[in-house]
Amino acid sequence: MLDGFSAEILARFQFAFTVSFHIIFPAFSIGLASFLAVLNALWLWTADNTYRVLFDYWKKIFAVAFAMGVVSGIVMSYQFGTNWSTFSDRAGPVIGPLMAYEVLSAFFLEAGFLGIMLFGREKVGNGLHMFATAMVAGGTLMSATWILSVNSWMQTPAGFAINEVGQFVPVDWWAIVFNPSFPYRLVHMVLAAYLTTAFVVAGVGALHLLQDRDNKASRKMFSMAMWMAIIVTPLQIVAGDFHGINTLEHQPAKVMAMEGHYDSHPDGAPLILFGIPNPAEKRIDYAVQIPKLSSLILKHDLNAPLAGLDTIPDEDEPPVAIVFWSFRVMVGIGFAMLGLGLFGAVQRYRGRLYDSATLHRAAIAMGPMGFVAVLAGWITTEVGRQPFTVYGLMRTSESLGPVAAPAVAASLIAFIVVYFFVFGAGTYYIMRLMGMRPGTEPKLSEGPIRTAGITPAQQTPSE
Amino acid sequence: MEFDLPFIWAGIIAFAVLVYVILDGFDLGIGILFPFAHNKKDRDTMMNSVAPIWDGNETWLVLGGGGLFAVFPLAYAVVMSALYMPIILMLLALVFRGVAFEYRWRTERWKWVWDWAFFGGSTMAALCQGIALGALVQGIEITDRQYSGGWWDWLTPFTVLTGVAVVVGYALLGATWIVMKTDGAVHHRMRDLARPLAIVTLVFIAAVSVLTPFQDFVYFERWFAMPGVLWTLPIPVALLIAIFALFKGLAPGGHDVMAFLASLSLFMISFIGIGISFYPNIVPPTLTIWEAAAPDESLWFTLVGTVVLIPLILGYTAYAYYVFRGKLDPEAGYH
């Protein structure tokens, strides 16, 4: 069924598939780990049992999401070598150490303290348990820091030389880690993770408020999430704008594709809101555009000239249609999030935060949209830097290892089948947990994540 | 003072892989032994005995891969290409057994599916690791910094032998772990299983040891010619002591902890033996540690953090084991 595809395109599809699945879980667990640390701290501080109910509720969801993140992450750490071994050999001396630091400073921290966070409260006491919970949250952020440094270096390489066998070799580690796009990408991604989680929490809170508007835990989580929505969404839009300007400086072709600018605009470029990219004719059909607004956003000047893809050699041009669309999906969701945040703020001001069924239905609809935005954003930045793996220096076609198309096709099909089965089941279990009202979950399927006294043996009919 | 950085790093990577093998070895072993549990309660107990620590154990595998990528990128690149299929199969198997830890408790109707996923995933992962080891011992063909062998080179009678050997060996580790961590029916069940498993494991160790020198004459020289023999002689002696301790621990009235520690040392000794066979190569038969190493700047940068972080990791890992120490009370769960 995959005959006729080259090993390169199959390997690219495999990487895109495994990394897209993987990013969903960290995007959720980075935010959720911090949320859990805050809930636990608030419980210890205020002694309000609502926080403890919420902690126990989200802890179970976190455990399932984290397990999926771990196993899909192990796959990623070997994906570089299996299909992209030439890239691994050449870029390994620079990005390998950063990934090793991710394992040493983040993965071990998360894994080492996760057991205590999930199972250990009664064994170690509240103080150490809080410490373990904070370590898990810190580990997820540390992991994001290193892996975004790696990704950013591939986008905006700095601080390296090339040796006699063609390897990228480190010259200045500071410049490598803090490469030009890293701070922007890191802020943008961490905020994205927090927002994604906030909207999931808002959606779950809203779902239960529709059924029982007096449930304290539902009210608390919905309120917290709506504060996040109104505070963090504007910050994210600003961070995204800065990131875009940074991209314009270092990867102009990506921005041209995002904007749909096939042609250069010497005196003010229009902002194309919608349209259909026509790669054959190199133009945007049916474009709806606002004159000069793109120059205003990117250059902060209505009449600033902006170069188009006509200045880029064809063989260096990214696939415009994908980038054009994914960028619009991400931005559209961002503004929809802002809209919900504002709506929530208005209802809060009017004292109707917990009573407005319209608000709750909107929040449920927006619940999963953070994931869509994260995926769309990553598609924008990763497809937009094609045809390179190390931007401007190493092409994707040169990065492929000595793999044969049938082997890549077979493993690709295996990944697709297994991932949909396994992560489909996991998503179902998470949704089922989310469907239970906080504080009323049956003790039955609690499993090893339990506070006291209930064992699986007692939970189930004896054999 | 001049540091031989590639040599130091080879030691660190070997250490990480060894820690992985013995730690994930026993929790994969528990998965391999899942069908031998008599009932659901015993399976619950077995899984609970590793639930708080398995994730940390598996992180050593990520360090093995990530560390190799960082400091021996050429070895990483070549090995991943050569062992493409067993590696991918191992990863998929680890997906199944990893999620089973959580999914199993989220459903009654599908519990059996995740029980089988746990067993199948653990067994397949162990088999693939053994096959990968055997394929490395056989040697990997490299031309111009790339793998140049065939797609099925990893599948030979010898690699199947090493694959099955690792499955049986992990099962022994798992059985002795359960013996150490539990009381009651499951404890006795695993005690009964551990003795035959120990015998079969030793038969496999013997078979692999006898066949290894025939994979490449270099191995033969390394083990039996002077002066190498002075280095290799302690290995069989240590092995005999470990075997004695293992059977003493497994004998009626024997010490539970001793049996587990003895089976761990069987793995350690075998691992050191493999190290002696490989040295100075990182990928036999031609790629040496020094040829595969990244430039010194990469090795230094990574080493600075590693010497601080690895002791820290060992510290809090030990703490986590300490928190969940002692016999698991099957009636109480985690309090």
Side-chain angles (χ1 to χ4, degrees):
Chain A
M1 108 184 168
L2 293 172
D3 293 350
F5 288 97
S6 67
E8 183 196 342
I9 202 76
L10 290 167
R12 283 176 66 178
F13 193 77
Q14 183 175 117
F15 202 95
F17 180 81
T18 52
V19 82
S20 297
F21 252 98
H22 175 63
I23 191 63
I24 291 172
F25 306 117
F28 192 33
S29 58
I30 291 169
L32 212 45
S34 293
F35 183 49
L36 284 167
V38 169
L39 287 172
N40 199 53
L42 285 172
W43 176 65
L44 291 174
W45 192 32
T46 65
D48 178 349
N49 201 47
T50 313
Y51 292 115
R52 176 64 190 271
V53 170
L54 281 174
F55 179 87
D56 290 338
Y57 183 81
W58 286 101
K59 181 177 81 170
K60 282 173 251 162
I61 293 167
F62 177 77
V64 179
F66 193 86
M68 292 194 277
V70 168
V71 294
S72 60
I74 294 174
V75 171
M76 292 321 303
S77 72
Y78 286 84
Q79 275 277 296
F80 287 95
T82 44
N83 290 334
W84 304 99
S85 56
T86 310
F87 169 81
S88 302
D89 176 28
R90 288 183 56 190
V94 170
I95 66 171
L98 306 186
M99 294 171 82
Y101 270 110
E102 183 188 15
V103 180
L104 290 165
S105 68
F107 292 168
F108 275 111
L109 203 61
E110 293 168 355
F113 286 102
L114 182 73
I116 296 172
M117 171 184 169
L118 295 180
F119 309 108
R121 190 194 287 276
E122 271 69 23
K123 278 185 185 281
V124 299
N126 283 327
L128 272 171
H129 178 262
M130 180 69 235
F131 178 76
T133 307
M135 284 299 112
V136 172
T140 61
L141 290 171
M142 187 77 89
S143 163
T145 305
W146 287 112
I147 202 65
L148 284 163
S149 179
V150 169
N151 181 272
S152 298
W153 185 84
M154 290 166 65
Q155 306 262 4
T156 53
F160 66 93
I162 293 177
N163 73 4
E164 70 282 3
V165 289
Q167 287 179 308
F168 295 91
V169 292
V171 175
D172 177 355
W173 280 107
W174 187 266
I176 289 169
V177 174
F178 294 94
N179 60 76
S181 64
F182 166 61
Y184 301 94
R185 200 181 310 275
L186 175 65
V187 171
H188 200 41
M189 179 61 203
V190 171
L191 290 181
Y194 280 178
L195 270 182
T196 299
T197 308
F199 277 86
V200 172
V201 172
V204 172
L207 178 73
H208 297 301
L209 283 175
L210 278 179
Q211 292 156 359
D212 173 11
R213 65 182 58 167
D214 296 321
N215 184 302
K216 274 190 190 162
S218 310
R219 291 166 75 105
K220 182 66 79 186
M221 73 167 115
F222 188 66
S223 170
M224 290 174 86
M226 292 313 286
W227 277 121
M228 285 292 285
I230 189 62
I231 296 168
V232 180
T233 314
L235 290 176
Q236 176 70 321
I237 290 172
V238 173
D241 182 50
F242 275 104
H243 189 20
I245 291 168
N246 177 267
T247 308
L248 180 67
E249 187 185 339
H250 295 282
Q251 299 176 304
K254 185 191 288 184
V255 176
M256 294 167 195
M258 284 155 66
E259 296 284 304
H261 288 157
Y262 276 110
D263 301 315
S264 299
H265 297 273
D267 32 43
L271 182 74
I272 302 174
L273 294 175
F274 287 102
I276 300 180
N278 183 340
E281 300 288 325
K282 293 197 177 291
R283 61 161 192 259
I284 304 291
D285 293 337
Y286 313 108
V288 179
Q289 53 191 28
I290 303 172
K292 299 193 188 270
L293 189 57
S294 183
S295 286
L296 183 69
I297 293 171
L298 289 166
K299 297 278 193 179
H300 299 173
D301 173 4
L302 282 172
N303 293 312
L306 267 182
L309 288 165
D310 50 3
T311 61
I312 304 289
D314 278 0
E315 69 272 19
D316 292 350
E317 196 174 283
V320 176
I322 299 173
V323 180
F324 181 84
W325 282 117
S326 61
F327 178 63
R328 269 150 197 74
V329 168
M330 175 187 75
V331 172
I333 292 173
F335 280 97
M337 287 174 157
L338 183 65
L340 185 70
L342 288 170
F343 186 23
V346 168
Q347 296 295 47
R348 191 193 297 269
Y349 179 73
R350 295 167 60 196
R352 294 188 29 84
L353 186 66
Y354 307 116
D355 307 314
S356 169
T358 320
L359 174 65
H360 299 158
R361 292 209 181 88
I364 294 169
M366 285 298 291
M369 294 315 261
F371 296 110
V372 181
V374 164
L375 281 171
W378 275 108
I379 289 169
T380 305
T381 199
E382 294 302 299
V383 177
R385 60 96 179 268
Q386 294 298 332
F388 298 103
T389 46
V390 182
Y391 199 68
L393 297 164
M394 187 173 188
R395 283 175 182 274
T396 309
S397 55
E398 301 165 319
S399 305
L400 193 71
V403 285
V408 187
S411 57
L412 173 61
I413 291 168
F415 275 119
I416 291 174
V417 171
V418 169
Y419 274 32
F420 274 107
F421 176 73
V422 169
F423 299 132
T427 307
Y428 171 73
Y429 295 140
I430 283 184
M431 304 263 270
R432 212 159 60 168
L433 287 169
M434 288 174 170
M436 294 172 190
R437 202 169 306 159
T440 63
E441 313 93 293
K443 290 290 178 205
L444 188 92
S445 54
E446 265 221 277
I449 305 167
R450 57 192 171 270
T451 47
I454 315 286
T455 69
Q458 288 160 344
Q459 288 164 17
T460 57
S462 57
E463 288 173 68
Chain B
M1 190 176 135
E2 192 71 19
F3 283 102
D4 186 352
L5 285 168
F7 180 76
I8 294 170
W9 264 110
I12 294 172
I13 299 282
F15 175 75
V17 174
L18 174 62
V19 173
Y20 171 74
V21 166
I22 60 176
L23 292 186
D24 214 29
F26 71 74
D27 70 47
L28 285 168
I30 285 161
I32 296 166
L33 292 169
F34 235 42
F36 296 94
H38 278 310
N39 53 39
K40 197 181 268 180
K41 184 174 152 233
D42 287 354
R43 285 193 290 275
D44 290 345
T45 307
M46 286 165 71
M47 194 182 254
N48 273 342
S49 75
V50 286
I53 45 169
W54 75 273
D55 186 12
N57 295 350
E58 215 157 284
T59 307
W60 291 93
L61 178 68
V62 185
L63 181 61
L68 203 62
F69 186 21
V71 293
F72 299 108
L74 182 56
Y76 175 80
V78 171
V79 170
M80 294 303 141
S81 302
L83 305 180
Y84 192 88
M85 262 179 268
I87 295 274
I88 300 253
L89 279 175
M90 175 192 78
L91 294 172
L92 289 171
L94 289 174
V95 167
F96 277 105
R97 59 98 55 180
V99 296
F101 277 101
E102 290 298 329
Y103 288 9
R104 220 179 147 262
W105 308 99
R106 300 280 152 240
T107 174
E108 283 305 323
R109 221 173 352 145
W110 263 42
K111 200 173 209 144
W112 65 275
V113 173
W114 303 118
D115 280 351
W116 279 101
F118 190 55
F119 162 71
S122 302
T123 310
M124 182 56 109
L127 184 71
C128 290
Q129 287 172 12
I131 287 177
L133 172 69
L136 271 178
V137 172
Q138 275 182 173
I140 284 169
E141 209 177 302
I142 305 168
T143 322
D144 290 337
R145 301 177 75 83
Q146 287 200 328
Y147 174 59
S148 55
W151 279 106
W152 295 96
D153 286 9
W154 54 272
L155 191 63
T156 65
F158 180 72
T159 62
V160 172
L161 176 78
T162 52
V164 177
V166 167
V167 173
V168 177
Y170 281 179
L172 171 67
L173 283 177
T176 52
W177 167 265
I178 297 291
V179 166
M180 183 175 78
K181 291 296 282 185
T182 64
D183 275 325
V186 67
H187 169 96
H188 294 293
R189 176 94 183 114
M190 289 302 148
R191 228 174 205 293
D192 292 342
L193 268 176
R195 236 162 312 167
L197 279 172
I199 292 164
V200 179
T201 301
L202 290 171
V203 170
F204 274 111
I205 291 178
V208 174
S209 304
V210 167
L211 289 175
T212 294
F214 296 97
Q215 301 302 312
D216 193 328
F217 185 68
V218 179
Y219 298 143
F220 191 84
E221 276 187 305
R222 216 157 277 158
W223 279 90
F224 298 110
M226 288 296 283
V229 76
L230 294 176
W231 290 98
T232 55
L233 199 60
I235 300 287
V237 176
L239 196 61
L240 286 175
I241 298 171
I243 293 168
F244 176 75
L246 179 60
F247 283 99
K248 197 160 183 300
L250 288 176
H255 207 285
D256 296 344
V257 179
M258 186 195 265
F260 179 64
L261 293 181
S263 47
L264 283 190
S265 41
L266 277 188
F267 269 81
M268 285 190 231
I269 294 160
S270 307
F271 191 83
I272 293 168
I274 293 163
I276 290 173
S277 298
F278 275 28
Y279 187 84
N281 289 323
I282 189 162
V283 182
T286 49
L287 188 64
T288 68
I289 294 167
W290 295 272
E291 288 164 343
D296 277 3
E297 293 77 35
S298 302
L299 304 189
W300 265 124
F301 176 73
T302 318
L303 187 65
V304 172
T306 303
V307 294
V308 178
L309 288 167
I310 292 234
L312 256 177
I313 291 164
L314 291 172
Y316 60 68
T317 303
Y319 175 70
Y321 275 84
Y322 173 77
V323 167
F324 298 100
R325 70 193 175 277
K327 299 263 185 196
L328 195 73
D329 180 354
E331 294 305 318
Y334 295 109
H335 284 280

